[in-house]
Amino acid sequence: MTDISIDDIVYIVAQNEVLPEKGGIFNPRNYRVLTAKVISVYKREIKVEFDNDKRKRIPNGQYFKSHVEAEQICYRVANDAWRKECVNRLLNDPPEQLLPNFRPRITGNPLRFAERNMMFAAQSNAWGSEVNEQKIIQVIAMTFEDIEMLIGILEILAFMNDYAKKLIGKYFVVELNSIFGLLSKLKNLNKEYAQLEYQDMLKEIERLEKKYKFRFIRDKIAAHKDSNIDLKSYINIWNAINYFSLNEYWTMFVSHVDKVLMKYYPNEKKIYFLMRQQPLEGAIATTIKGNEYIPFFGFEI
């Protein structure tokens, strides 16, 4: 800044020594704006004096003449920290589920059937369109994989604006509702499950729906878009889509499904849930599959 003079008041963004708010350095609330008086002006910096009589040299570009501007910088500094963390994660430790198929894998997901390095494995009664327990478990596993993809995307794009994150969360809500629908179909084919574990899950769903109303969200703005919603309802819906609500629903379903698989479907757990998590060492599955699969950008990596 060139229009700065001795005795001017400037504002400086500083990180709190103790980070009281959740989110640490990624939360703008963990930064504060300090007021200081300019006592010396140099070519590339200024020297200021704070209210506690401490003095410090501040480089150009790190002090502001407007308190409002400095407050806005708190958000930019926090976002820059989060962006750097996401870039570091993307470069050095990207979520495994988002990486290309560098090594062959087994999948029971019919949507990934023709991908490069994917070998499809499913029970014979899950290949057709007939609804049976194995087919339902297969689709539940596919839905779990979809949600795991969404979680990975959120991990590396956490610096995005809130609207972008909530849009991903909206799709998350759709998938969570899909799991409930699939489990409701499963209970029609497994009477013991219908009488025991399914009833326990319904109690949990009832508790969570009172808090978050995910079914309402799915029907009104996620799977469908209704126009007969007032502004207050839109606000309530959007507020309900957040990390904590999604995680509470998701962990409930993960625990429930694992319990059901262990008790009734151990083979299906291995085929559709466990085998896809580990690459096949020493195997090759790079056969060109012709026009069976059309990649998103026209080519696979």
Side-chain angles (χ1 to χ4, degrees):
M1 291 184 183
T2 57
D3 58 341
I4 200 77
S5 303
I6 293 174
D7 291 334
D8 280 354
I9 300 298
V10 294
Y11 302 94
I12 299 156
V13 173
Q15 182 180 311
N16 292 331
E17 294 179 5
V18 178
L19 306 182
E21 301 287 344
K22 58 192 173 187
I25 62 173
F26 309 134
N27 188 340
R29 294 179 183 175
N30 285 320
Y31 298 85
R32 67 191 188 281
V33 177
L34 303 177
T35 303
K37 184 173 71 172
V38 179
I39 58 174
S40 298
V41 178
Y42 305 101
K43 184 177 181 180
R44 294 184 176 85
E45 62 186 10
I46 61 174
K47 181 186 285 187
V48 300
E49 183 176 81
F50 296 99
D51 293 338
N52 58 7
D53 295 329
K54 287 187 177 181
R55 298 182 174 189
K56 186 176 181 180
R57 290 174 180 261
I58 307 295
N60 292 345
Q62 295 186 21
Y63 55 87
F64 309 93
K65 298 196 71 174
S66 162
H67 191 281
V68 172
E69 183 182 7
E71 286 181 330
Q72 291 299 312
I73 293 298
C74 290
Y75 288 87
R76 184 175 293 277
V77 170
N79 184 259
D80 285 348
W82 212 343
R83 191 182 314 185
K84 289 175 183 176
E85 178 66 22
C86 289
V87 169
N88 182 65
R89 176 76 194 276
L90 184 60
L91 293 176
N92 300 307
D93 185 29
E96 179 71 21
Q97 66 269 34
L98 298 184
L99 291 176
N101 308 323
F102 295 126
R103 292 183 290 175
R105 293 178 179 271
I106 290 177
T107 182
N109 184 344
L111 297 180
R112 308 195 71 176
F113 173 82
E115 284 185 28
R116 184 182 71 86
N117 269 348
M118 281 292 188
M119 291 183 282
F120 188 71
Q123 292 147 301
S124 58
N125 61 346
W127 284 65
S129 58
E130 177 188 353
V131 177
N132 53 60
E133 292 168 85
Q134 285 66 43
K135 184 75 172 181
I136 291 171
I137 297 298
Q138 179 195 40
V139 180
I140 289 174
M142 180 170 68
T143 308
F144 266 51
E145 186 172 10
D146 289 353
I147 290 175
E148 289 163 4
M149 291 288 183
L150 295 176
I151 292 171
I153 292 169
L154 283 170
E155 286 178 1
I156 61 172
L157 295 178
F159 66 90
M160 295 185 301
N161 66 59
D162 238 40
Y163 189 70
K165 285 180 278 197
K166 283 179 179 279
L167 284 177
I168 296 175
K170 186 173 71 166
Y171 184 29
F172 206 133
V173 169
V174 173
E175 297 295 349
L176 290 171
N177 275 278
S178 296
I179 294 174
F180 175 68
L182 290 163
L183 291 170
S184 298
K185 290 181 180 179
L186 184 64
K187 69 107 164 45
N188 296 329
L189 302 173
N190 185 329
K191 298 307 178 186
E192 183 178 351
Y193 169 62
Q195 295 172 1
L196 299 175
E197 293 85 5
Y198 185 77
Q199 297 304 317
D200 294 334
M201 183 194 69
L202 285 181
K203 293 176 184 177
E204 278 295 293
I205 292 291
E206 183 178 0
R207 179 183 67 83
L208 291 169
E209 279 299 294
K210 286 180 180 178
K211 293 171 65 176
Y212 305 123
K213 297 181 174 60
F214 274 10
R215 185 56 186 262
F216 179 79
I217 292 173
R218 175 201 176 275
D219 292 343
K220 293 298 183 180
I221 69 160
H224 310 282
K225 280 224 174 73
D226 284 356
S227 57
N228 60 341
I229 305 177
D230 59 46
L231 179 60
K232 186 175 186 302
S233 295
Y234 274 123
I235 293 171
N236 291 337
I237 284 172
W238 215 231
N239 283 338
I241 301 176
N242 58 69
Y243 170 84
F244 304 100
S245 61
L246 294 171
N247 188 61
E248 191 172 357
Y249 253 100
W250 172 233
T251 54
M252 182 276 293
F253 275 130
V254 169
S255 176
H256 175 79
V257 169
D258 188 62
K259 184 186 300 183
V260 172
L261 293 174
M262 291 288 289
K263 181 176 180 180
Y264 302 107
Y265 308 102
N267 290 332
E268 287 75 9
K269 178 179 180 179
K270 180 178 180 181
I271 294 171
Y272 301 116
F273 287 84
L274 299 181
M275 290 176 65
R276 68 178 171 85
Q277 296 178 6
Q278 297 297 326
L280 296 174
E281 300 295 342
I284 299 177
T286 56
T287 304
I288 300 299
K289 299 175 182 178
N291 295 324
E292 286 184 322
Y293 182 70
I294 300 177
F296 188 82
F297 284 115
F299 57 88
E300 281 192 273
I301 57 173

